[in-house]
Structure formats: C-alpha cells, structure tokens
Coordinates of all heavy atoms in Angstrom, one line a residue:
M89 N -8.0 -23.6 -67.4 CA -7.5 -22.5 -66.6 C -6.1 -22.9 -66.2 O -5.9 -23.7 -65.5 CB -8.3 -22.2 -65.5 CG -9.8 -22.0 -65.8 SD -10.0 -20.4 -64.9 CE -11.1 -19.6 -65.7
A90 N -5.2 -21.9 -66.5 CA -3.8 -22.1 -66.2 C -3.5 -21.4 -65.0 O -4.0 -20.2 -64.8 CB -3.0 -21.7 -67.5
A91 N -2.6 -22.0 -64.1 CA -2.1 -21.2 -62.9 C -1.2 -20.2 -63.3 O -0.2 -20.4 -64.2 CB -1.6 -22.3 -62.0
T92 N -1.3 -19.1 -62.8 CA -0.3 -17.9 -63.0 C 0.5 -17.6 -61.8 O 0.1 -17.7 -60.7 CB -1.1 -16.7 -63.4 OG1 -1.9 -16.2 -62.3 CG2 -2.0 -16.9 -64.7
K93 N 1.7 -17.3 -62.1 CA 2.7 -17.0 -61.0 C 2.5 -15.5 -60.6 O 2.3 -14.7 -61.5 CB 4.1 -17.2 -61.4 CG 4.5 -18.7 -61.5 CD 5.9 -18.8 -61.8 CE 6.3 -20.2 -61.8 NZ 7.8 -20.4 -62.1
V94 N 2.6 -15.3 -59.3 CA 2.4 -13.9 -58.8 C 3.8 -13.4 -58.6 O 4.7 -14.0 -58.0 CB 1.6 -13.9 -57.5 CG1 1.6 -12.4 -56.9 CG2 0.3 -14.4 -57.7
K95 N 4.1 -12.3 -59.2 CA 5.4 -11.6 -59.0 C 5.5 -10.9 -57.6 O 4.5 -10.6 -57.0 CB 5.6 -10.5 -60.1 CG 5.7 -11.1 -61.5 CD 5.9 -10.0 -62.5 CE 6.0 -10.6 -63.9 NZ 6.0 -9.4 -64.9
K96 N 6.6 -10.7 -57.2 CA 6.9 -10.0 -55.8 C 6.3 -8.6 -55.8 O 5.7 -8.1 -54.9 CB 8.3 -10.0 -55.4 CG 8.9 -11.2 -54.9 CD 10.2 -11.1 -54.3 CE 10.6 -12.3 -53.6 NZ 12.0 -12.2 -53.0
S97 N 6.4 -8.0 -57.0 CA 6.0 -6.6 -57.0 C 4.4 -6.5 -57.0 O 3.8 -5.5 -56.6 CB 6.5 -5.9 -58.3 OG 6.1 -6.5 -59.4
D98 N 3.8 -7.6 -57.4 CA 2.4 -7.7 -57.4 C 1.8 -8.0 -56.1 O 0.5 -7.8 -55.7 CB 1.8 -8.6 -58.4 CG 2.1 -8.3 -59.8 OD1 2.3 -7.0 -60.0 OD2 2.1 -9.1 -60.6
S99 N 2.6 -8.5 -55.1 CA 2.1 -9.0 -53.8 C 1.9 -7.9 -52.8 O 1.6 -8.2 -51.6 CB 2.9 -10.2 -53.3 OG 4.2 -9.6 -52.9
G100 N 2.2 -6.6 -53.2 CA 1.9 -5.6 -52.2 C 3.3 -5.2 -51.5 O 3.2 -4.4 -50.6
Q101 N 4.3 -5.9 -51.7 CA 5.6 -5.7 -51.1 C 6.5 -4.9 -52.1 O 6.7 -5.4 -53.1 CB 6.3 -7.0 -50.7 CG 5.6 -7.7 -49.7 CD 6.3 -9.0 -49.3 OE1 7.3 -9.4 -50.0 NE2 5.8 -9.7 -48.3
S102 N 6.9 -3.8 -51.7 CA 7.7 -3.0 -52.6 C 9.1 -3.1 -52.2 O 9.5 -3.3 -51.0 CB 7.3 -1.6 -52.6 OG 7.5 -1.0 -51.3
A103 N 10.0 -3.1 -53.1 CA 11.4 -3.2 -52.8 C 12.0 -2.0 -52.3 O 11.6 -0.8 -52.6 CB 12.1 -3.6 -54.1
G104 N 12.9 -2.1 -51.4 CA 13.6 -1.0 -50.8 C 12.8 -0.2 -49.8 O 12.0 -0.8 -49.0
N105 N 12.8 1.1 -49.7 CA 12.1 1.9 -48.8 C 10.8 2.5 -49.5 O 10.7 3.6 -49.5 CB 12.9 3.0 -48.2 CG 14.1 2.6 -47.4 OD1 14.0 1.4 -46.8 ND2 15.2 3.3 -47.3
G106 N 10.0 1.6 -49.9 CA 8.8 2.1 -50.7 C 7.8 2.6 -49.7 O 7.9 2.7 -48.6
G107 N 6.7 3.2 -50.4 CA 5.7 3.8 -49.6 C 4.9 3.0 -48.7 O 4.4 3.4 -47.7
S108 N 4.8 1.6 -49.0 CA 4.1 0.8 -48.1 C 4.9 0.1 -47.1 O 4.4 -0.7 -46.4 CB 3.3 -0.3 -49.0 OG 4.3 -1.1 -49.6
G109 N 6.2 0.4 -47.0 CA 7.0 -0.3 -46.1 C 7.0 0.4 -44.7 O 6.2 1.3 -44.5
F110 N 7.6 -0.1 -43.8 CA 7.6 0.2 -42.3 C 8.0 1.7 -42.2 O 7.5 2.5 -41.5 CB 8.4 -0.7 -41.5 CG 8.3 -0.3 -40.0 CD1 7.3 -0.5 -39.2 CD2 9.5 0.3 -39.5 CE1 7.3 -0.1 -37.9 CE2 9.5 0.7 -38.1 CZ 8.4 0.5 -37.4
R111 N 9.1 2.0 -42.9 CA 9.7 3.3 -42.8 C 8.8 4.4 -43.4 O 8.9 5.6 -42.9 CB 11.0 3.4 -43.5 CG 12.1 2.6 -42.8 CD 13.4 3.1 -43.3 NE 14.5 2.2 -42.6 CZ 15.2 2.7 -41.6 NH1 15.0 3.9 -41.1 NH2 16.1 1.9 -41.0
G112 N 7.9 4.1 -44.2 CA 7.0 5.0 -44.8 C 5.9 5.5 -43.8 O 5.3 6.6 -43.9
R113 N 5.7 4.6 -42.7 CA 4.7 5.0 -41.7 C 5.2 5.7 -40.5 O 4.4 6.1 -39.6 CB 3.9 3.7 -41.2 CG 3.1 3.2 -42.4 CD 2.5 1.8 -41.9 NE 3.2 0.8 -42.5 CZ 3.2 -0.5 -42.0 NH1 2.5 -0.8 -41.0 NH2 3.9 -1.4 -42.5
L114 N 6.5 5.8 -40.3 CA 7.2 6.4 -39.2 C 6.8 8.0 -39.3 O 7.0 8.6 -40.4 CB 8.6 6.3 -39.1 CG 9.0 4.9 -38.7 CD1 10.5 4.7 -38.7 CD2 8.4 4.5 -37.3
P115 N 6.5 8.7 -38.2 CA 6.3 10.1 -38.2 C 7.7 10.8 -38.2 O 8.7 10.2 -37.8 CB 5.5 10.4 -36.9 CG 5.9 9.3 -36.0 CD 6.1 8.1 -36.8
D116 N 7.7 12.0 -38.6 CA 9.0 12.8 -38.6 C 9.3 13.1 -37.1 O 8.5 13.4 -36.3 CB 8.8 14.1 -39.4 CG 8.6 13.9 -40.8 OD1 9.1 12.8 -41.3 OD2 8.0 14.6 -41.4
M117 N 10.7 13.0 -36.9 CA 11.1 13.4 -35.5 C 11.2 14.8 -35.3 O 11.7 15.5 -36.3 CB 12.5 12.6 -35.3 CG 12.4 11.1 -35.4 SD 11.4 10.4 -34.1 CE 12.3 10.8 -32.7
P118 N 10.8 15.3 -34.1 CA 10.9 16.8 -34.0 C 12.4 17.2 -33.9 O 13.2 16.5 -33.4 CB 10.3 17.0 -32.6 CG 10.4 15.7 -31.9 CD 10.3 14.7 -33.0
N119 N 12.7 18.4 -34.4 CA 14.1 19.0 -34.2 C 14.4 19.5 -32.8 O 13.7 20.4 -32.4 CB 14.3 20.1 -35.2 CG 15.7 20.5 -35.3 OD1 16.6 19.9 -34.8 ND2 15.9 21.6 -36.1
V120 N 15.4 18.8 -32.1 CA 15.7 19.1 -30.8 C 17.0 19.9 -30.7 O 17.4 20.2 -29.6 CB 15.6 17.9 -29.9 CG1 14.4 17.3 -29.7 CG2 16.7 16.9 -30.4
D121 N 17.5 20.4 -31.8 CA 18.9 21.1 -31.8 C 18.7 22.4 -31.1 O 19.7 22.9 -30.5 CB 19.4 21.1 -33.1 CG 19.8 19.8 -33.7 OD1 19.9 18.8 -32.9 OD2 19.8 19.7 -35.0
N122 N 17.6 23.1 -31.3 CA 17.5 24.4 -30.8 C 17.0 24.6 -29.4 O 16.8 25.7 -28.9 CB 16.6 25.2 -31.8 CG 15.2 24.6 -31.9 OD1 14.9 23.6 -31.2 ND2 14.4 25.1 -32.7
Q123 N 16.8 23.5 -28.7 CA 16.4 23.6 -27.3 C 17.5 24.0 -26.4 O 18.6 23.4 -26.6 CB 15.7 22.3 -26.8 CG 14.4 22.1 -27.4 CD 13.6 20.8 -26.9 OE1 14.3 20.1 -26.2 NE2 12.5 20.6 -27.3
S124 N 17.3 24.8 -25.3 CA 18.3 25.0 -24.4 C 18.5 24.1 -23.5 O 17.5 23.3 -23.1 CB 18.1 26.4 -23.8 OG 16.9 26.4 -23.0
Q125 N 19.7 23.9 -22.8 CA 19.9 22.9 -21.8 C 19.3 23.3 -20.5 O 19.1 22.5 -19.6 CB 21.5 22.8 -21.7 CG 22.1 22.1 -22.9 CD 21.6 20.6 -23.0 OE1 21.4 20.0 -22.2 NE2 21.7 20.3 -24.3
S126 N 19.1 24.6 -20.2 CA 18.6 25.1 -18.9 C 17.1 24.5 -18.8 O 16.8 24.3 -17.7 CB 18.6 26.6 -18.8 OG 17.7 27.2 -19.8
S127 N 16.4 24.4 -19.8 CA 15.0 24.0 -19.6 C 15.0 22.5 -19.1 O 14.1 22.2 -18.3 CB 14.2 24.1 -20.9 OG 14.7 23.3 -21.9
G128 N 15.8 21.6 -19.6 CA 15.9 20.3 -19.2 C 16.4 20.1 -17.7 O 15.9 19.3 -17.0
S129 N 17.4 21.0 -17.4 CA 17.9 20.9 -16.1 C 17.0 21.4 -15.0 O 17.0 20.9 -13.9 CB 19.3 21.7 -16.0 OG 19.1 23.0 -16.2
F130 N 16.1 22.3 -15.4 CA 15.1 22.8 -14.4 C 14.1 21.7 -14.1 O 13.7 21.6 -13.0 CB 14.3 24.0 -15.0 CG 13.3 24.6 -14.2 CD1 13.6 25.2 -13.0 CD2 11.9 24.3 -14.4 CE1 12.5 25.7 -12.2 CE2 10.9 24.7 -13.6 CZ 11.2 25.4 -12.4
G131 N 13.8 20.9 -15.1 CA 12.8 19.7 -14.9 C 13.5 18.8 -13.8 O 12.9 18.3 -12.9
Y132 N 14.8 18.5 -14.1 CA 15.6 17.6 -13.1 C 15.6 18.1 -11.7 O 15.5 17.3 -10.8 CB 16.9 17.3 -13.8 CG 16.9 16.4 -15.0 CD1 17.5 16.9 -16.1 CD2 16.2 15.2 -15.0 CE1 17.4 16.2 -17.3 CE2 16.2 14.4 -16.2 CZ 16.8 14.9 -17.3 OH 16.8 14.1 -18.4
L133 N 15.8 19.4 -11.7 CA 15.9 20.1 -10.4 C 14.6 20.0 -9.6 O 14.5 19.7 -8.4 CB 16.4 21.5 -10.6 CG 16.7 22.3 -9.2 CD1 17.8 21.7 -8.5 CD2 16.9 23.8 -9.6
L134 N 13.5 20.2 -10.5 CA 12.2 20.1 -9.8 C 11.9 18.8 -9.3 O 11.4 18.5 -8.1 CB 11.1 20.5 -10.8 CG 9.7 20.5 -10.3 CD1 9.5 21.6 -9.2 CD2 8.7 20.8 -11.5
V135 N 12.3 17.7 -10.1 CA 12.0 16.3 -9.6 C 12.9 16.0 -8.5 O 12.5 15.3 -7.5 CB 12.4 15.4 -10.8 CG1 12.4 13.9 -10.3 CG2 11.3 15.5 -11.9
L136 N 14.1 16.4 -8.4 CA 14.9 16.3 -7.3 C 14.5 16.9 -6.0 O 14.5 16.2 -4.9 CB 16.4 16.9 -7.6 CG 17.4 16.7 -6.5 CD1 17.8 15.2 -6.3 CD2 18.7 17.5 -6.8
V137 N 13.9 18.0 -6.1 CA 13.3 18.7 -5.0 C 12.1 18.0 -4.5 O 11.9 17.8 -3.2 CB 12.9 20.2 -5.2 CG1 12.0 20.8 -4.2 CG2 14.1 21.0 -5.5
L138 N 11.2 17.4 -5.3 CA 10.1 16.6 -5.0 C 10.4 15.4 -4.3 O 9.8 14.9 -3.2 CB 9.2 16.3 -6.2 CG 8.5 17.5 -6.8 CD1 7.7 17.2 -8.1 CD2 7.5 18.1 -5.8
F139 N 11.5 14.7 -4.8 CA 12.0 13.5 -4.1 C 12.6 13.8 -2.7 O 12.3 13.0 -1.8 CB 13.0 12.7 -4.9 CG 12.6 11.8 -5.9 CD1 12.8 12.0 -7.3 CD2 11.8 10.6 -5.6 CE1 12.3 11.2 -8.3 CE2 11.3 9.8 -6.6 CZ 11.5 10.1 -7.9
A140 N 13.2 14.9 -2.6 CA 13.7 15.3 -1.2 C 12.6 15.5 -0.4 O 12.7 15.1 0.9 CB 14.6 16.6 -1.4
L141 N 11.5 16.2 -0.7 CA 10.4 16.3 0.1 C 9.7 15.0 0.5 O 9.3 14.9 1.7 CB 9.3 17.3 -0.6 CG 9.6 18.7 -0.8 CD1 8.6 19.4 -1.5 CD2 9.8 19.3 0.7
V142 N 9.6 14.2 -0.4 CA 9.1 12.9 -0.1 C 9.8 12.1 0.9 O 9.3 11.6 2.1 CB 8.9 12.0 -1.3 CG1 8.6 10.6 -1.0 CG2 7.7 12.6 -2.2
F143 N 11.2 12.0 0.7 CA 12.0 11.4 1.7 C 12.3 11.9 2.9 O 12.5 11.3 4.0 CB 13.4 11.0 1.0 CG 13.3 9.9 0.0 CD1 13.4 10.1 -1.4 CD2 12.8 8.6 0.4 CE1 13.3 9.1 -2.4 CE2 12.7 7.6 -0.5 CZ 12.9 7.8 -1.9
V144 N 12.2 13.3 3.0 CA 12.6 14.1 4.2 C 11.3 14.2 5.1 O 11.4 14.1 6.3 CB 13.2 15.4 3.9 CG1 13.4 16.3 5.1 CG2 14.6 15.2 3.4
L145 N 10.1 14.5 4.5 CA 9.0 14.8 5.3 C 8.0 13.6 5.3 O 7.5 13.3 6.4 CB 8.2 15.9 4.6 CG 9.0 17.3 4.6 CD1 8.2 18.3 3.9 CD2 9.3 17.7 6.0
V146 N 7.6 13.0 4.2 CA 6.6 12.0 4.2 C 7.0 10.7 4.8 O 6.3 10.1 5.7 CB 6.1 11.7 2.8 CG1 5.0 10.6 2.7 CG2 5.6 13.0 2.1
L147 N 8.2 10.2 4.5 CA 8.6 8.9 5.1 C 8.8 8.9 6.6 O 8.3 8.0 7.3 CB 10.0 8.4 4.5 CG 9.7 7.9 3.0 CD1 11.1 7.6 2.5 CD2 8.8 6.7 3.0
P148 N 9.3 10.1 7.3 CA 9.3 10.1 8.7 C 7.9 10.1 9.3 O 7.7 9.4 10.3 CB 10.1 11.3 9.0 CG 11.0 11.5 7.9 CD 10.1 11.1 6.7
L149 N 6.9 10.8 8.7 CA 5.6 10.8 9.1 C 5.0 9.5 9.1 O 4.2 9.0 10.0 CB 4.7 11.9 8.3 CG 5.1 13.3 8.5 CD1 4.3 14.1 7.6 CD2 4.8 13.6 10.0
V150 N 5.2 8.7 8.0 CA 4.6 7.3 7.9 C 5.3 6.4 8.9 O 4.6 5.6 9.5 CB 4.9 6.8 6.5 CG1 4.6 5.3 6.4 CG2 4.1 7.6 5.4
G151 N 6.6 6.6 9.2 CA 7.3 5.8 10.2 C 6.6 6.0 11.6 O 6.4 5.2 12.5
M152 N 6.4 7.4 11.9 CA 5.8 7.6 13.2 C 4.4 7.1 13.3 O 4.0 6.7 14.5 CB 5.8 9.2 13.4 CG 7.1 9.8 13.7 SD 7.1 11.5 14.2 CE 6.8 12.2 12.5
M153 N 3.6 7.2 12.2 CA 2.3 6.6 12.3 C 2.4 5.1 12.5 O 1.5 4.5 13.2 CB 1.6 7.0 11.0 CG 1.1 8.4 10.9 SD 0.4 8.8 9.3 CE -1.0 7.6 9.2
Y154 N 3.2 4.4 11.8 CA 3.5 3.0 12.1 C 3.8 2.7 13.5 O 3.3 1.8 14.0 CB 4.5 2.4 11.1 CG 4.8 1.0 11.2 CD1 3.8 0.1 10.7 CD2 5.9 0.4 11.8 CE1 4.0 -1.2 10.9 CE2 6.1 -0.8 12.0 CZ 5.1 -1.7 11.4 OH 5.4 -3.1 11.6
M155 N 4.7 3.4 14.1 CA 5.2 3.2 15.5 C 4.0 3.4 16.5 O 3.7 2.6 17.4 CB 6.3 4.1 15.9 CG 7.5 3.8 15.2 SD 8.1 2.0 15.4 CE 8.5 2.1 17.1
D156 N 3.1 4.4 16.1 CA 1.9 4.7 17.0 C 1.0 3.5 16.9 O 0.4 3.1 17.9 CB 1.2 6.0 16.5 CG 2.0 7.2 17.0 OD1 2.9 7.2 17.9 OD2 1.8 8.2 16.4
T157 N 0.7 3.0 15.7 CA -0.2 1.8 15.6 C 0.3 0.7 16.3 O -0.4 -0.1 16.9 CB -0.5 1.6 14.1 OG1 0.8 1.3 13.4 CG2 -1.2 2.6 13.4
M158 N 1.6 0.5 16.3 CA 2.1 -0.7 17.0 C 2.0 -0.5 18.5 O 1.7 -1.5 19.2 CB 3.7 -0.8 16.7 CG 3.9 -1.2 15.2 SD 3.2 -2.7 14.7 CE 4.1 -3.9 15.6
V159 N 2.2 0.7 19.0 CA 1.9 0.9 20.5 C 0.6 0.7 20.9 O 0.2 0.1 21.9 CB 2.5 2.4 20.9 CG1 2.0 2.8 22.2 CG2 4.0 2.5 20.7
V160 N -0.4 1.2 20.0 CA -1.8 1.0 20.3 C -2.1 -0.4 20.3 O -2.9 -0.9 21.2 CB -2.7 1.9 19.3 CG1 -4.1 1.4 19.4 CG2 -2.4 3.3 19.5
R161 N -1.6 -1.3 19.4 CA -1.9 -2.6 19.3 C -1.5 -3.4 20.6 O -2.2 -4.2 21.2 CB -1.2 -3.3 18.1 CG -1.9 -3.3 16.9 CD -1.2 -4.0 15.8 NE -1.7 -3.7 14.5 CZ -1.2 -4.3 13.4 NH1 -0.1 -4.9 13.4 NH2 -1.8 -3.9 12.2
R162 N -0.2 -3.0 21.1 CA 0.3 -3.6 22.3 C -0.5 -3.2 23.5 O -0.9 -4.1 24.3 CB 1.7 -3.1 22.5 CG 2.5 -3.9 23.5 CD 3.9 -3.6 23.6 NE 4.3 -2.6 22.5 CZ 5.2 -1.6 22.7 NH1 5.8 -1.5 23.8 NH2 5.5 -0.8 21.7
E163 N -1.0 -2.0 23.6 CA -1.8 -1.6 24.7 C -3.2 -2.3 24.6 O -3.7 -2.7 25.6 CB -2.0 -0.1 24.7 CG -0.7 0.7 25.1 CD -0.9 2.1 24.9 OE1 -2.0 2.7 24.6 OE2 0.1 2.9 25.3
T164 N -3.8 -2.4 23.4 CA -5.0 -3.0 23.3 C -4.9 -4.5 23.7 O -5.8 -5.1 24.3 CB -5.5 -3.0 21.8 OG1 -5.6 -1.6 21.4 CG2 -6.9 -3.6 21.6
K165 N -3.9 -5.2 23.3 CA -3.7 -6.6 23.6 C -3.6 -6.8 25.2 O -4.2 -7.7 25.7 CB -2.4 -7.1 22.9 CG -2.2 -8.7 23.2 CD -1.1 -9.1 22.5 CE -0.8 -10.5 22.7 NZ 0.4 -11.1 22.0
A166 N -2.9 -5.9 25.9 CA -2.8 -5.9 27.3 C -4.0 -5.6 28.0 O -4.5 -6.4 28.9 CB -1.7 -4.8 27.8
Q167 N -4.9 -4.7 27.5 CA -6.2 -4.5 28.0 C -7.1 -5.6 27.9 O -7.9 -6.0 28.8 CB -6.9 -3.2 27.4 CG -6.1 -1.9 27.8 CD -6.3 -1.6 29.3 OE1 -7.3 -2.0 29.9 NE2 -5.2 -1.0 29.8
M168 N -7.0 -6.3 26.7 CA -7.9 -7.5 26.4 C -7.6 -8.6 27.4 O -8.4 -9.3 27.9 CB -7.8 -7.9 24.9 CG -8.4 -7.0 24.0 SD -10.1 -6.8 24.2 CE -10.7 -8.4 23.7
E169 N -6.3 -8.8 27.7 CA -5.9 -9.8 28.6 C -6.4 -9.5 30.0 O -6.8 -10.4 30.8 CB -4.3 -9.9 28.6 CG -3.8 -10.5 27.3 CD -2.3 -10.5 27.4 OE1 -1.6 -10.0 28.3 OE2 -1.7 -11.1 26.3
K170 N -6.3 -8.2 30.4 CA -6.9 -7.8 31.7 C -8.3 -8.1 31.8 O -8.9 -8.6 32.8 CB -6.6 -6.4 32.0 CG -5.1 -6.1 32.3 CD -5.1 -4.5 32.6 CE -3.6 -4.3 32.9 NZ -3.4 -2.7 33.1
V171 N -9.1 -7.8 30.8 CA -10.5 -8.0 30.7 C -10.9 -9.5 30.8 O -11.8 -9.9 31.6 CB -11.1 -7.3 29.4 CG1 -12.7 -7.8 29.2 CG2 -11.1 -5.8 29.6
E172 N -10.1 -10.3 30.1 CA -10.3 -11.7 30.2 C -10.1 -12.2 31.6 O -10.8 -13.1 32.0 CB -9.5 -12.4 29.1 CG -9.7 -13.9 28.9 CD -11.0 -14.1 28.2 OE1 -11.5 -13.2 27.5 OE2 -11.5 -15.3 28.4
K173 N -9.1 -11.9 32.2 CA -8.7 -12.3 33.5 C -9.9 -11.9 34.4 O -10.3 -12.7 35.3 CB -7.4 -11.6 34.0 CG -6.9 -12.2 35.3 CD -5.5 -11.5 35.5 CE -5.0 -12.0 36.9 NZ -3.7 -11.4 37.2
L174 N -10.3 -10.7 34.3 CA -11.4 -10.2 35.2 C -12.7 -11.1 35.0 O -13.5 -11.3 35.9 CB -11.7 -8.7 35.0 CG -10.6 -7.8 35.7 CD1 -11.0 -6.4 35.3 CD2 -10.5 -8.0 37.2
R175 N -12.9 -11.3 33.7 CA -14.2 -12.2 33.4 C -14.0 -13.5 34.0 O -15.1 -14.0 34.6 CB -14.3 -12.2 31.9 CG -15.6 -12.9 31.4 CD -15.7 -13.1 30.0 NE -14.6 -14.0 29.4 CZ -14.6 -15.3 29.4 NH1 -15.7 -15.9 30.0 NH2 -13.7 -16.1 29.0
K176 N -13.0 -14.1 34.0 CA -12.8 -15.4 34.6 C -13.0 -15.4 36.0 O -13.6 -16.2 36.7 CB -11.3 -16.0 34.3 CG -11.2 -16.5 32.8 CD -9.8 -17.0 32.6 CE -9.7 -17.5 31.1 NZ -8.3 -18.0 30.9
Q177 N -12.5 -14.2 36.8 CA -12.6 -14.1 38.2 C -14.1 -13.9 38.5 O -14.6 -14.5 39.5 CB -11.8 -12.9 38.7 CG -10.3 -13.2 38.8 CD -9.7 -11.8 39.3 OE1 -10.2 -10.7 39.4 NE2 -8.3 -11.9 39.4
V178 N -14.8 -13.2 37.7 CA -16.2 -12.9 37.9 C -17.0 -14.3 37.8 O -17.9 -14.6 38.6 CB -16.9 -11.9 37.0 CG1 -18.3 -11.8 37.0 CG2 -16.2 -10.5 37.4
E179 N -16.7 -15.1 36.8 CA -17.4 -16.3 36.6 C -17.1 -17.3 37.8 O -18.0 -18.1 38.2 CB -16.9 -17.0 35.3 CG -17.4 -16.4 34.0 CD -16.9 -17.0 32.8 OE1 -16.0 -17.9 32.7 OE2 -17.4 -16.6 31.6
E180 N -15.8 -17.4 38.2 CA -15.5 -18.1 39.4 C -16.2 -17.7 40.6 O -16.7 -18.5 41.4 CB -14.0 -18.1 39.6 CG -13.1 -18.9 38.6 CD -11.6 -18.7 38.9 OE1 -11.2 -18.1 39.9 OE2 -10.9 -19.2 38.1
A181 N -16.4 -16.4 40.8 CA -17.1 -15.9 41.9 C -18.6 -16.3 41.8 O -19.3 -16.6 42.9 CB -17.1 -14.4 42.0
Q182 N -19.2 -16.3 40.7 CA -20.6 -16.6 40.5 C -20.8 -18.2 40.8 O -21.8 -18.7 41.3 CB -21.0 -16.3 39.0 CG -21.3 -14.8 38.8 CD -21.7 -14.6 37.4 OE1 -21.7 -15.3 36.5 NE2 -22.1 -13.4 37.2
K183 N -19.8 -19.0 40.3 CA -19.9 -20.4 40.6 C -19.8 -20.6 42.1 O -20.5 -21.5 42.7 CB -18.8 -21.2 39.9 CG -19.0 -21.3 38.4 CD -17.9 -22.0 37.7 CE -18.0 -22.1 36.3 NZ -16.8 -22.8 35.6
K184 N -18.9 -20.0 42.9 CA -18.9 -20.2 44.3 C -20.2 -19.7 45.0 O -20.6 -20.4 46.0 CB -17.7 -19.3 44.9 CG -16.4 -20.0 44.6 CD -15.3 -19.1 45.2 CE -13.9 -19.6 44.8 NZ -12.8 -18.7 45.3
E185 N -20.8 -18.6 44.5 CA -22.2 -18.2 45.1 C -23.2 -19.3 44.8 O -24.1 -19.5 45.7 CB -22.5 -16.9 44.5 CG -21.7 -15.8 45.1 CD -22.0 -14.3 44.4 OE1 -23.1 -14.3 43.8 OE2 -21.3 -13.3 44.7
E186 N -23.2 -19.9 43.7 CA -24.2 -20.9 43.4 C -24.1 -22.1 44.3 O -25.1 -22.8 44.6 CB -24.1 -21.3 41.9 CG -24.5 -20.1 40.9 CD -24.4 -20.7 39.6 OE1 -23.9 -21.8 39.3 OE2 -24.6 -19.8 38.7
K187 N -22.9 -22.4 44.7 CA -22.7 -23.7 45.5 C -23.1 -23.3 47.0 O -23.7 -23.4 47.7 CB -21.2 -24.1 45.5 CG -20.8 -24.7 44.2 CD -19.4 -25.2 44.2 CE -19.0 -25.7 43.0 NZ -17.6 -26.1 43.0

C-alpha cells in the first residue's frame, strides 16, 4: 500500500472566497440608506429624557432615604446606650437591696 498525498483542494479548503469559507457564512447586511435621520434622533431624545428623570428624581429620593436611615441608626444607638445605662443602674440597685 502506497501512501498518497492529499491535495489542498481535497482537504475541504477552497481557494479564494469559496462557498465553504468564512465569508460564505455571513448573512447579508440590511440596507440602511433609506432610513430617515429623525427616527434615530427620536430614540436618542427618549433615552436622554429617561436619564434626566433618573438623575433628577430618583437619585435625590435615594439620597433622602439614605439620610433618613443614617438618622434612625444614630437615634437607635443613643436609645440603646440609654437602655444599657438604666439596666446597669437597676442591677446596682438590686445588689444594694440584697446587702
């Protein structure tokens, strides 16, 4: 049995822009020449308005909520310290009564 050489054309690779090449698998690009410019600018305008709503309305609301939570944390911490102080006073009073 003699070894045979395989030609490049037999290996499945075609020369140039053949049917099995990469370019043969690309879909056709849509024709965008006939689209008007106003339809694209309307989308950009809509996105701009949405971003304005987010930055003008939503971010200040989030900031106010954050500040409220910080105030509540501070007040809670102060109340917990008062409760702890009163608990210590009650324990000291009970110890004095036992003696």
Side-chain angles (χ1 to χ4, degrees):
M89 297 232 153
T92 59
K93 289 187 177 181
V94 178
K95 296 180 183 178
K96 280 190 176 181
S97 61
D98 292 341
S99 66
Q101 298 175 355
S102 60
N105 294 335
S108 65
F110 179 73
R111 291 191 181 266
R113 288 181 263 160
L114 289 177
D116 292 335
M117 297 299 291
N119 188 7
V120 293
D121 293 338
N122 58 3
Q123 291 182 352
S124 65
Q125 293 294 330
S126 64
S127 66
S129 64
F130 178 73
Y132 290 123
L133 184 64
L134 182 66
V135 169
L136 182 66
V137 169
L138 289 175
F139 274 118
L141 286 175
V142 166
F143 285 112
V144 171
L145 297 176
V146 175
L147 286 178
L149 289 174
V150 170
M152 286 187 286
M153 287 175 55
Y154 179 73
M155 293 302 292
D156 286 342
T157 56
M158 295 302 288
V159 168
V160 168
R161 277 187 190 171
R162 192 173 354 143
E163 289 175 358
T164 304
K165 185 177 179 182
Q167 291 295 326
M168 290 296 290
E169 288 173 357
K170 286 180 184 178
V171 168
E172 188 68 26
K173 187 177 179 181
L174 289 173
R175 186 184 63 82
K176 286 181 182 178
Q177 287 178 356
V178 168
E179 286 178 356
E180 289 175 3
Q182 286 179 350
K183 286 181 184 178
K184 286 181 183 177
E185 288 178 4
E186 290 176 0
K187 291 182 181 180

